[in-house]
Structures are given as structure tokens and as C-alpha cells.
Amino acid sequence: MKHNEFVDEIEKFFAKGLSLVKRKNRDYAPENDPWRNFRFAEIVEVDIARAQLVRISDKLARVSNLLTTDELLVPEEKIEDSLLDISNYAAILAIFVKHQRKGE
């Protein structure tokens, strides 16, 4: 693979992730509160940032399992889906921390 092909693949991956996060955020949160879904973790005294880390760790465990087995119990969720979720949760966490530190 050449460098430009590599970069093209990265661009496609992030474009797919952006499309996914847009759809999921509309499904999980109202327009005025993109963190609403994560706020539910506060019910069990887990702050929003750590709730996102838990979701990332769940996806990491899924990827680890998928790397060691060919059998998918949930065939509609492929390894790329979990990796997209990880990258999206990382971006969401980065934005949350940035705005939290600004006092927003």
C-alpha cells in the first residue's frame, strides 16, 4: 500500500465514523444536550467522562475477542463497527473534556 492509498483509507474511515456519530447522537440525545445518553451513568455515580471510558473499554474487549475468533455471535456488528465506535467515543470524550475544562 502506498502512502496516498493509506491516507485515502484513513479519510474514508473517519468519514464513515463521522456519519455514524451524527446518526447515533440524533438517536440518543436531543439537539440541546449531546451528552444526555452519557448522563444516565450519573445515576450510578459514574461521571460522564468515565462513562465514555467504560464504553471504549467494552468496544476494546469486543475487538480483542473478534481478533481471536472467526465466529461472530452478533454477525451484524463487525470489527470495523467496533473500531469506528472506539474512535467516535475517543472524539466525543476529547470534546467533552475540552468543554468541561472551559466550564461549559
Side-chain angles (χ1 to χ4, degrees):
M1 176 180 281
K2 295 180 182 177
H3 177 75
N4 61 332
E5 294 169 320
F6 172 76
V7 172
D8 286 346
E9 289 292 322
I10 296 289
E11 286 178 352
K12 288 176 189 172
F13 179 84
F14 283 119
K16 195 172 186 180
L18 180 58
S19 175
L20 180 64
V21 81
K22 285 178 179 179
R23 288 191 320 269
K24 282 190 172 185
N25 197 253
R26 278 194 306 262
D27 288 347
Y28 287 102
E31 181 72 25
N32 64 341
D33 185 8
W35 318 113
R36 181 173 159 206
N37 185 47
F38 300 104
R39 290 188 199 288
F40 282 99
E42 293 175 328
I43 294 169
V44 292
E45 299 182 8
V46 175
D47 64 70
I48 292 172
R50 284 186 173 59
Q52 292 174 68
L53 289 174
V54 168
R55 286 179 173 87
I56 290 170
S57 70
D58 290 342
K59 295 298 178 175
L60 287 171
R62 172 116 175 108
V63 169
S64 178
N65 189 48
L66 290 173
L67 290 172
T68 58
T69 183
D70 290 332
E71 183 180 343
L72 293 177
L73 297 177
V74 184
E76 62 274 4
E77 186 177 341
K78 309 263 187 276
I79 193 167
E80 183 180 1
D81 298 328
S82 292
L83 292 169
L84 282 169
D85 285 340
I86 291 168
S87 68
N88 285 340
Y89 284 133
I92 291 166
L93 179 56
I95 293 163
F96 176 78
V97 169
K98 174 185 168 184
H99 287 269
Q100 187 180 42
R101 289 186 175 163
K102 286 182 177 180
E104 297 175 2

